[in-house]
Amino acid sequence: MARQGLGLRRVAALTGVNRQAVANLLAGDSWPDVATLSRLEDGLGVGLYPGGKGPGSGHC
């Protein structure tokens, strides 16, 4: 988010993940399920799961 200059509302709009859910993830109050992780990776264009095959992982 910081690298792309995105706030919570913009991340929510890009990914379809609720703003409060994103805030909870960032605060460490919750863990994303597979569907949420996938939406975040697709919407932000980055791989978030170590060793995953999402965008930015180098395995696509």
Side-chain angles (χ1 to χ4, degrees), residues 3-47:
R3 189 177 336 149
Q4 295 182 23
L6 302 175
L8 289 174
R9 286 189 177 100
R10 185 67 180 142
V11 170
L14 288 170
T15 64
V17 175
N18 178 283
R19 181 195 59 80
Q20 188 61 52
V22 174
N24 291 344
L25 293 169
L26 291 172
D29 293 334
S30 65
W31 288 87
D33 59 20
V34 173
T36 300
L37 186 61
S38 179
R39 288 195 307 261
L40 289 168
E41 286 185 332
D42 289 347
L44 297 173
V46 296

